[in-house]
Structures are given as structure tokens and as C-alpha cells.
Amino acid sequence: NLVKDITVTHDHHIGAGIVGTKVIWPQLCRFGYCDVALNASMQRTIPGYGWWFMQGATTLWEHWQATKYNSSKCGGIGTKNHIMFGGQGSWYYSHLGGIRQRHSNTSNWKDIIIDPYTNSTIFDINFMDTQIDTLNGKIVVDVQVYPKKENGVWERLNVVIPTGSVASVYIKRLDVFGAYVPLSNWIIKENNTVIYQNMKFVNGDDGVLNAMNEGDDAVRIEIESGFYTFTLETQ
């Protein structure tokens, strides 16, 4: 069990090598354990990217055990500019920022998924700004979560989809709600126009094609290319 291996056997640290680090983070998020992945990546003891950060690293190093006092020369512990354990880098874009292609075997970015990890608030991460340059143009995901609700809004999500592309945007249940809030109490707006209320799509906003329930804790919004500002409120 991967989750048990990370949280119990390795005390919330990654226990894989250079090959495993590339696939473990996305798989954890795929099955609902993004919190485990993010927690492991932030560990400030060995092995952990947070450890390197605390040592003053601005690049990826060759060995977890390296410190700022090790020279890469004269018998030091590896180099200080290496792609070892670098496979995790794309995960920041694909699962924290939440920008992915619907079909993994393509590279044209015509069909996009926008699914940021908004429950990063449990680690005091309330804001993320993610951008990817594609052949079609720039994709932008700029999300802010308000732990205490600001002006009636729990989440504000700015999205830019390039010309010629379409996207599915996911708005998911937030841990900052505290108590469970059913979808029947959710109100989603785009640029102050209601597009989802009473568990159904409200038509009338240019570029927004549909909004539908995804289980009992998420709403999927289908959009065309353009710039959008979505807000999540509750009643």
C-alpha cells in the first residue's frame, strides 16, 4: 500500500528512487491522496525537497543527503545541479496547478482539464498561479481560496484557455467549508453571472457550455477558449 509506505513506513517521506518519484505523485492525486503527496514533498528532513530548500538549494541536487556545506568537488556528496528526482517537477503544473491534457497520448492541448488542488489550504497554501505555454497559446490557472470566506466567496478561479481549445474546469469541495456543504447549497458564478445553482446548469454566459455534478463533492464546467473568472459561494 503506497499511502501506508509513505505515511507509516517512511514517516511521511518519499521512499522511492529517481524512477518512482515521477509516477508516484500523480498516482496519489489520481486516487484522492494529493495531501499525502504534497506533505511528503514538503518534508524538511532527509529525504525531502524541503530539506534541500532549507539548505539553500536553488537547483535539484544529486543526493538527498547533501548539505550546503558539501562541495561538489573534493569528495563532496554529488553535484549541486542535477536532474535526480526531478520527475516531480511536472506534477506541480499537472496536479497542484491542475493543468492537464484529457488524452495523455497527445501534445496539441486541444482538450484540457483544469483541476487545481484547492485543498492545499491544509498546508497554508491559499494561492497558486500556474501557466503553461503551448503550441496553441498560454494556459493560465490562477486560484485563490479564502479560509474565512471573503465577500461571500470561498474560491476565486481565473482561467485562460487558448484559441482553438476547450476545457473541463473542476470546482471541488473545500476543506475550508468546515462542515459538509451539499451541492444543493453551492452557487458558482462566472464574471458575476450565475452558471450553477440548485444543482443544475444556468445558461446565459458566453463561452460556458455546461455545468454538471461530479459525484457529491464537485462540479464540472465545460468551456470554450477565452478568459474566465469563476467564484464559488454557498447559500
Side-chain angles (χ1 to χ4, degrees), residues 13-231:
H13 292 70
I14 185 68
I18 60 174
V19 176
T21 53
K22 182 176 182 178
V23 297
I24 282 177
W25 312 110
Q27 290 302 309
L28 285 169
C29 287
R30 178 185 175 189
F31 291 100
Y33 294 100
C34 256
D35 59 322
V36 174
L38 184 55
N39 187 39
S41 71
M42 295 172 63
Q43 291 298 318
R44 296 193 173 191
T45 51
I46 299 171
Y49 297 93
W51 165 258
W52 282 346
F53 178 78
M54 294 298 292
Q55 298 304 307
T58 57
T59 57
L60 293 173
W61 292 352
E62 185 175 359
H63 294 287
W64 291 122
Q65 295 82 0
T67 74
K68 59 186 176 182
Y69 302 108
N70 299 133
S71 170
S72 59
K73 301 177 181 179
C74 303
I77 304 181
T79 68
K80 295 294 196 294
N81 190 3
H82 207 93
I83 198 57
M84 300 291 282
F85 308 104
Q88 187 218 27
S90 62
W91 173 76
Y92 290 112
Y93 293 88
S94 64
H95 289 82
L96 289 189
I99 302 176
R100 303 191 290 277
Q101 295 194 87
R102 186 180 306 278
H103 307 292
S104 59
N105 61 343
T106 66
S107 59
N108 58 17
W109 292 95
K110 293 287 188 179
D111 197 349
I112 303 165
I113 290 176
I114 303 297
D115 183 19
Y117 178 52
T118 46
N119 283 326
S120 59
T121 50
I122 62 177
F123 301 102
D124 293 325
I125 300 174
N126 302 332
F127 170 81
M128 288 183 286
D129 184 355
T130 310
Q131 303 183 19
I132 294 180
D133 289 312
T134 75
L135 294 175
N136 278 5
K138 188 184 293 292
I139 303 171
V140 178
V141 173
D142 173 2
V143 61
Q144 174 83 51
V145 176
Y146 303 98
K148 295 184 179 179
K149 194 159 73 167
E150 185 172 299
N151 297 322
V153 174
W154 289 103
E155 176 185 341
R156 188 178 308 277
L157 174 62
N158 296 317
V159 176
V160 177
I161 301 300
T163 301
S165 296
V166 295
S168 296
V169 178
Y170 288 82
I171 306 290
K172 295 186 173 180
R173 182 188 62 81
L174 300 172
D175 283 342
V176 296
F177 284 166
Y180 175 72
V181 179
L183 292 178
S184 57
N185 287 7
W186 290 25
I187 300 173
I188 300 176
K189 298 178 180 179
E190 195 291 303
N191 196 24
N192 293 319
T193 298
V194 175
I195 62 169
Y196 177 89
Q197 190 171 16
N198 298 322
M199 298 185 68
K200 61 184 180 181
F201 175 52
V202 180
N203 198 4
D205 190 78
D206 289 343
V208 179
L209 306 176
N210 203 353
M212 61 203 76
N213 304 324
E214 286 281 311
D216 59 0
D217 61 357
V219 174
R220 186 178 87 240
I221 305 167
E222 302 296 334
I223 60 175
E224 298 177 318
S225 60
F227 174 82
Y228 300 86
T229 297
F230 298 102
T231 54

